Each structure stands twice: as structure tokens, then as C-alpha cells.
Amino acid sequence: RFRVQDAASGTTIFSQGYCTLFGEWQATDEARKEGKRRTMEESVRFPFPKKKVRLLIDRREDRPGPDGRGAFRELFRAEIDPRTTSIGADLRCRDCPVIAVHESGDPRQRIDILILGDGYAADEMEKYRRDLRRFAEVLLGQEAFARNRERVNLWGIEAPSRESGPDEPRKGIWRDTALGTSFNTFGSERYLTTVHDRDLREMAANAPYDALYILVNTARYGGGGIYNQWAIFPSDNEYDDYVFLHEFGHSFAGLADEYFDSSTAYDDAFYPEGVEPWEPNLTALLTGRRLKLADMVADGTPIPTPDDEAHADVVGAFEGGGYKAEGLFRPYRDCKMFHKGLVPFCPVCARAFDTVIRLYAE
């Protein structure tokens, strides 16, 4: 998380939790077992301050804090004076057209979602516009956004890449694109991300946004989502609608992966034993703690909950989630965070979307 404090009084005036791609790398064998070192660009965003502020960045540790979730430890702090000439006001691609796909009102009173394109060459801008509008309708058709349609603005930016498509390192394919998206992140074949955070933020600064998507011009299956950073998805894969919404579950609503039968780059360190996951759709059922989401669990529901047809439509605690078959529990038998079938978000995940939308738009 990061915190912004008034420099004079020390009062916290803004705070937000977030995740990083670097944090995921720290859970890989390369970092934990091979002892390699890496650096990655990182940004935090907050309202422009009126007076001097202090920025603090905290990291969640592998030991439980008072709430049972990981305790925070301060990593970094810096003083920021809004009057200094060190703050740049230049914009990259300031002539790139901004597209209002769905505009319901003043960005200061709406949740603004920006869908940038990557790997679209100059002669593919019409395709980007078509893809942009198609996925905007997919998002607005999703239950949480359909009922909050008038609280949402959707934007795009026409920012052509020099070459078409993302990098595919295992195939020896490297392309010069606006945002540098690439498959094979951390050795995972389908993990599609970018490490060019500064380029991304400078491009996105041309439009209002609270949440950020990257639409990648490719038919290959893959994607990625980092909480309060970005969601990345393919334009032309048969599962692109699913990836579009699943990855947004990570980046927008802070939802965890609920599957446990697919390989990832993470080992058991991603969800340390004895620490309650912070995500709303996972629990460790720690002894002596109140059941997570107890207000959504009907009286008489067995905990743990049997994974059978009799309990297919109830909120409970189904074993298996967070890349582990045992020891972690998901709240519903099936969900869009569980597998890529034609299933909706479960009630718990749907409520998480509603919570974030109302946080920004009310």
C-alpha cells in the first residue's frame, strides 16, 4: 500500500492498496531459490496535493498482523513539494486522439476506465477502434457494470505502435510497440504483461482514468492482471471475453485466482501458511477467526462446504484456490475467477466489483 501524509501534521490524507509485478516475481524460484536480483519500474497515483506531503510505501509481510492478514512494513518515504520545478508537466503522445467510448458524466464523479491498445500499427487504428467498442460493450454488459452504467465512463487513446502484435520471446519474436507487452513473463507461456510502467503511465495521462486496461493486438491466448495497476488481454482469441473480465477481476476488484490445477510461476510463498489472504474471495479458515464473508453465508451451510451439486448455488468455503488444492478455500463452487467456462462472477466477486464502483462514483 502507499500512504500520503500532510507533511506539517503527519495526518494521512490519502491511502490505497495495490500490487506489483515485482511482488509476483519475488515469489518465483528465480528470486527465492536462485537468489537473483531484479528491478522494475513502479508508479503510485494520488490527487495532486495543495501543500507539501510525505509519500510512504509499505510492503505486506509474510507474518499476520492484527487482522490476521499480512502485517505492513514501511519500505520507502519521500517528501513532495507540489511547487517544485522538479515535477514534470510534459505529456507523451499529447496529439494522440482520446476516444470517449461511453461517457456518462463528470470524471470527478464517475469511475473512469481507460482501455489502451498495444501492438496496433498505424494502419490498424480502425481495428483498434472496433475492438475498443466491442470490449466496452462486454464490460457494460457484465452484471455489476450493467446496473451501474450511469456511474461509468469508458475511454480509449489512439496510440499506434511501430509494429503489430506483442513480443513472443520463446518464438524469438520481438516487436517495437508503444507499451512493450510480452508473453512468457517469468517463464509462463500465457502470462502477458509489460514492464514499461513509465511509458504506460505517460501515455495514459492523456485521458482521465481510475482503472486501466491494455488491449493487445493478438490472437494468442494469455493475459494478466495486477491489483490497482492494469489488466492485459488479447483482442482476437476465442476466450478473449473471458480473459478481459477475469483479469479485470484482479486489477479492479482485488480478486484472487481460484483455480489450483494450472501451473504458475509461484511457489507456496505467494500465500504463506497461517496468514489470511487479503483478497475477498479466498480464505484460509484459520482457527479461532470469524468466517470471512459470514454475512453472505446462509445458516446451516457446512464449513468447509462439500464440492457437489447440492451446494452449487450457495456461498460457503470450497477447498481449493489460490494455486493450492488444499489449505485455501474459495467462496463458491464455480466462478469466472475459477475457470474459463461460460459462468458469471459468483455473488462474492460481484459484490467486490460493486464496492469499488461505489467507492469512486458516490
Side-chain angles (χ1 to χ4, degrees):
R1 71 181 178 192
F2 70 91
R3 293 171 287 149
V4 181
Q5 297 177 344
D6 174 67
S9 66
T11 302
T12 297
I13 55 177
F14 189 88
S15 181
Q16 188 176 62
Y18 71 105
C19 294
T20 67
L21 192 61
F22 182 76
E24 293 193 4
W25 174 78
Q26 288 178 303
T28 65
D29 285 349
E30 184 180 68
R32 295 179 60 85
K33 297 179 181 179
E34 298 173 25
K36 293 185 178 179
R37 299 174 66 85
R38 289 187 65 175
T39 60
M40 293 184 188
E41 299 172 357
E42 180 176 322
S43 301
V44 295
R45 300 175 66 244
F46 53 91
F48 200 87
K50 296 180 179 180
K51 301 177 181 179
K52 287 183 181 181
V53 295
R54 183 180 302 112
L55 170 68
L56 302 97
I57 296 179
D58 306 322
R59 182 182 186 273
R60 194 184 293 275
E61 299 289 274
D62 292 344
R63 55 185 175 83
D67 61 357
R69 298 180 292 183
F72 281 107
R73 176 174 63 88
E74 183 184 321
L75 284 182
F76 172 89
R77 63 169 54 199
E79 302 286 329
I80 299 174
D81 184 349
R83 297 166 296 183
T84 180
T85 56
S86 298
I87 298 177
D90 53 316
L91 281 178
R92 180 182 175 189
C93 202
R94 67 171 67 242
D95 295 327
C96 293
V98 175
I99 304 169
V101 187
H102 173 77
E103 195 170 2
S104 67
D106 187 338
R108 292 171 294 183
Q109 300 169 339
R110 299 294 186 273
I111 174 75
D112 288 270
I113 301 170
L114 173 61
I115 306 177
L116 294 172
D118 194 44
Y120 288 86
D123 61 356
E124 295 176 302
M125 282 297 99
E126 179 56 35
K127 181 180 186 302
Y128 165 66
R129 289 189 289 271
R130 290 196 308 270
D131 291 343
L132 173 64
R133 296 184 186 283
R134 175 166 68 90
F135 285 106
E137 286 306 312
V138 170
L139 185 64
L140 292 173
Q142 196 270 328
E143 185 178 358
F145 287 90
R147 61 174 171 262
N148 288 291
R149 192 181 182 96
E150 297 310 309
R151 291 185 169 96
V152 178
N153 291 334
L154 282 164
W155 308 89
I157 297 175
E158 292 186 25
S161 296
R162 290 190 178 91
E163 294 182 289
S164 180
D167 293 342
E168 300 183 60
R170 288 188 180 179
K171 297 181 179 180
I173 298 173
W174 303 91
R175 296 181 171 111
D176 185 357
T177 66
L179 302 175
T181 54
S182 177
F183 284 98
N184 307 134
T185 303
F186 308 150
S188 177
E189 183 178 3
R190 68 179 184 272
Y191 201 7
L192 176 61
T193 71
T194 180
V195 295
H196 300 274
D197 187 78
R198 182 168 179 170
D199 290 343
L200 172 63
R201 298 299 169 181
E202 289 184 347
M203 184 75 71
N206 287 279
Y209 73 98
D210 301 301
L212 185 60
Y213 262 123
I214 303 176
L215 165 60
V216 182
N217 187 23
T218 181
R220 181 174 165 182
Y221 177 74
I226 307 291
Y227 177 50
N228 271 338
Q229 297 291 337
W230 40 251
I232 301 180
F233 66 102
S235 61
D236 297 295
N237 185 267
E238 62 177 315
Y239 294 109
D240 54 20
D241 287 13
Y242 157 77
V243 178
F244 175 74
L245 294 172
H246 175 96
E247 300 301 347
F248 203 47
H250 293 310
S251 69
F252 184 79
L255 301 175
D257 281 320
E258 296 178 3
Y259 57 80
F260 52 88
D261 56 356
S262 298
S263 61
T264 69
Y266 315 126
D267 63 13
D268 289 344
F270 207 66
Y271 290 105
E273 187 175 351
V275 177
E276 176 66 14
W278 61 269
E279 297 96 333
N281 61 325
L282 279 187
T283 182
L285 287 185
L286 298 177
T287 303
R289 295 197 60 81
R290 181 175 181 267
L291 176 65
K292 199 171 190 176
L293 302 166
D295 63 313
M296 298 186 73
V297 178
D299 292 341
T301 302
I303 303 296
T305 311
D307 193 348
D308 56 30
E309 287 298 325
H311 297 88
D313 298 316
V314 303
V315 175
F318 298 82
E319 191 162 25
Y323 324 120
K324 293 183 177 181
E326 299 178 347
L328 289 178
F329 300 80
R330 62 191 189 277
Y332 214 69
R333 191 177 185 220
D334 203 359
C335 175
K336 200 173 289 292
M337 300 308 295
F338 181 57
H339 87 296
K340 60 188 180 203
L342 295 175
V343 295
F345 288 104
C346 74
V348 171
C349 294
R351 185 170 76 168
F353 276 101
D354 272 325
T355 298
V356 179
I357 292 170
R358 294 178 182 279
L359 174 69
Y360 281 97
E362 286 191 349

